[in-house]
Amino acid sequence: MFYDNISDGIVLLAKKPGLTSFKSLNAVKHALGTKKVGHTGTLDSFAQGLLVVCTGRLTKLAGNITEFDKEYEAVIKFGEETDTLEYTGSIIRTAPLPDEQTLLNILPQFTGTIKQKPPVFSAIHVDGKRASDLARKGVTAEIPEREITVFKAEIKEIRKDENNRVEYCRIDFLVSKGTYIRSLARDIAEKCGSAGHLVGLYRKKVGNFHIEDSAGFSELNDFSIKTAIEELENWKKTEQENNEEIKLQPNIKNSFTSPKIDFEKERETLHKEIIEKKLDFSEECAELCGFEIIHLVSTEAENAFRNGKPLRSALFDTKLHALLNEKSAAVYTHDGLFCGLISKNEGGRISYSFVLN
């Protein structure tokens, strides 16, 4: 039965800064004893916060889950723009710091539906190649603007320099899918007559999933301008130590792009939390993911569904023509066991997305 498999589920994981999203998934793999994991949206190495991870047989869900709106807190450092638009990049432009009133006047212009140009260092494909791979080779990729929606841009904290100019600002953003907070930092700073890049990024919410419910949440530091600067200084220190090691041993070929983080001390606690907090794909969880819920009416209907028989309204407690177009429906037995997904296209055709056997 579906719920007998410990590896099947959705894990809310708190990623620490300095780790790639890929490496962060190792804790989930080890805790649940599976190599089948898939996240539904990465975080940059320097960032921290919520990863929504599908595990076991539910990795099939990763591509079907609605690309939710996301909420972030971001710390922008003004006066300098980097090529990556975050602190691990190289400074490519400098400009004066803005005053507070200018920032307050400009920020509302970055709410609503706007056009945004993604960073050149991104996973977007240009002519079949990742823009970030091209950028590392010195090739400037032409990435077209895209339409995004910023539902909220709210200043939480400001730190000024000795001349009363804004040096750092922490902003709470609620944004649509496909939004790059790094690009928002660049564009807000530029509109203020300055330059800017991120020195901290914290993802708090993905759709209806909250960071407070994640495994490892207690291990995250409180997010503020102060802690973002501290993380930056730790990264610089680690980079310096690694560079000195390379000078002593020049044959070592490592990029050392992130600080050394040891998970061993927290390993046992984190693994326990992952197991305890793993979400079975219940009807409530499916609703959180934005799916419609329908039920098979009998054991015979369940067998027909699991064996890929033609989809007919008689199998379900809902008329298939009543399903919303372009929205997947999660299929359950009468006693609440998840069986798979079906979908309805614009033309009204109902088809299997996948079946869980």
Side-chain angles (χ1 to χ4, degrees), residues 259-276:
K260 297 174 182 177
I261 294 179
D262 183 6
F263 262 99
E264 292 303 321
K265 292 181 180 179
E266 302 120 24
R267 193 179 191 86
E268 185 176 346
T269 300
L270 180 60
H271 286 190
K272 183 180 179 181
E273 283 192 23
I274 288 170
I275 294 171
E276 290 177 347

Side-chain angles (χ1 to χ4, degrees), residues 302-317:
E302 179 184 348
N303 291 334
F305 182 83
R306 291 190 186 279
N307 287 304
K309 300 296 183 181
L311 294 170
R312 298 178 293 110
S313 291
L315 299 177
F316 305 97
D317 64 352

Side-chain angles (χ1 to χ4, degrees), residues 76 78 81-82 85 93 110 115-120 145 180-192 194-198:
I76 303 173
F78 291 93
E81 181 180 325
T82 67
L85 302 181
R93 188 171 73 89
F110 288 87
K115 294 283 190 178
Q116 181 185 78
K117 187 169 185 179
V120 293
E145 289 186 331
Y180 282 89
I181 307 299
R182 287 181 285 146
S183 290
L184 281 176
R186 173 199 63 203
D187 297 342
I188 290 169
E190 185 174 346
K191 195 74 173 179
C192 289
S194 183
H197 66 277
L198 292 184

Side-chain angles (χ1 to χ4, degrees), residues 12-256:
L12 306 183
L13 181 68
K15 187 186 95 64
K16 286 189 169 184
L19 282 178
T20 64
S21 294
F22 180 78
K23 287 184 178 179
S24 297
L25 298 184
N26 286 336
V28 178
K29 293 177 182 178
H30 291 143
L32 301 181
T34 181
K35 294 182 179 179
K36 293 184 177 181
V37 298
H39 53 69
T40 59
T42 61
L43 277 171
D44 292 323
S45 297
F46 79 98
Q48 66 186 60
L50 181 60
L51 290 176
V52 179
V53 185
C54 297
T55 66
R57 290 175 293 171
L58 287 188
T59 53
K60 293 181 179 181
L61 278 172
N64 295 87
I65 290 179
T66 305
E67 295 182 50
F68 304 121
D69 299 334
K70 300 175 178 68
E71 186 171 4
Y72 298 87
E73 285 191 17
V75 175
I76 303 173
K77 176 178 172 58
F78 291 93
E80 299 171 343
E81 181 180 325
T82 67
D83 53 1
T84 60
L85 302 181
E86 39 86 4
Y87 66 71
T88 68
S90 300
I91 297 172
I92 59 173
R93 188 171 73 89
T94 61
L97 300 179
D99 62 76
E100 182 176 352
Q101 192 58 51
T102 297
L103 176 59
L104 293 174
N105 292 341
I106 290 299
L107 194 57
Q109 298 179 27
F110 288 87
T111 57
T113 300
I114 60 175
K115 294 283 190 178
Q116 181 185 78
K117 187 169 185 179
V120 293
F121 281 87
S122 66
I124 293 173
H125 282 75
V126 179
D127 296 329
K129 297 181 180 180
R130 284 194 175 192
S132 56
D133 293 337
L134 294 172
R136 290 187 186 97
K137 294 177 181 179
V139 178
T140 302
E142 288 298 324
I143 305 175
E145 289 186 331
R146 56 172 61 180
E147 193 172 86
I148 62 163
T149 302
V150 179
F151 303 101
K152 177 176 67 174
E154 183 179 310
I155 293 176
K156 293 292 187 180
E157 185 183 6
I158 286 177
R159 179 179 291 191
K160 299 178 182 178
D161 71 352
E162 63 277 8
N163 297 315
N164 203 36
R165 311 288 285 190
V166 178
E167 188 174 11
Y168 297 93
C169 182
R170 177 165 61 94
I171 303 177
D172 189 353
F173 291 107
L174 179 61
V175 298
S176 65
K177 63 181 181 180
T179 302
Y180 282 89
I181 307 299
R182 287 181 285 146
S183 290
L184 281 176
R186 173 199 63 203
D187 297 342
I188 290 169
E190 185 174 346
K191 195 74 173 179
C192 289
S194 183
H197 66 277
L198 292 184
V199 294
L201 184 64
Y202 178 36
R203 186 155 71 195
K204 304 191 297 182
K205 188 178 175 185
V206 177
N208 293 313
F209 296 116
H210 298 259
I211 184 65
E212 292 84 1
D213 299 321
S214 64
F217 170 67
S218 62
E219 300 299 326
L220 293 181
N221 292 325
D222 291 337
F223 189 74
S224 66
I225 291 175
K226 179 177 181 292
T227 56
I229 294 173
E230 288 173 352
E231 184 62 38
L232 168 60
E233 293 304 318
N234 288 337
W235 176 82
K236 287 180 178 179
K237 181 180 178 182
T238 303
E239 285 289 282
Q240 184 177 0
E241 291 172 352
N242 288 333
N243 289 334
E244 290 174 355
E245 186 175 349
I246 291 174
K247 289 178 182 178
L248 293 173
Q249 302 181 62
N251 291 327
I252 294 178
K253 294 182 179 180
N254 284 314
S255 60
F256 299 107

Side-chain angles (χ1 to χ4, degrees), residues 269-327:
T269 300
L270 180 60
H271 286 190
K272 183 180 179 181
E273 283 192 23
I274 288 170
I275 294 171
E276 290 177 347
K277 294 187 175 185
K278 176 179 68 69
L279 301 171
D280 291 322
F281 201 64
S282 63
E283 293 181 29
E284 181 181 4
C285 187
E287 288 177 346
L288 286 174
C289 292
F291 296 120
E292 291 188 71
I293 309 297
I294 61 174
H295 298 88
L296 295 158
V297 296
S298 65
T299 301
E300 291 75 18
E302 179 184 348
N303 291 334
F305 182 83
R306 291 190 186 279
N307 287 304
K309 300 296 183 181
L311 294 170
R312 298 178 293 110
S313 291
L315 299 177
F316 305 97
D317 64 352
T318 300
K319 298 297 182 183
L320 295 184
H321 65 79
L323 297 178
L324 297 176
N325 288 344
E326 298 186 293
K327 184 175 182 179

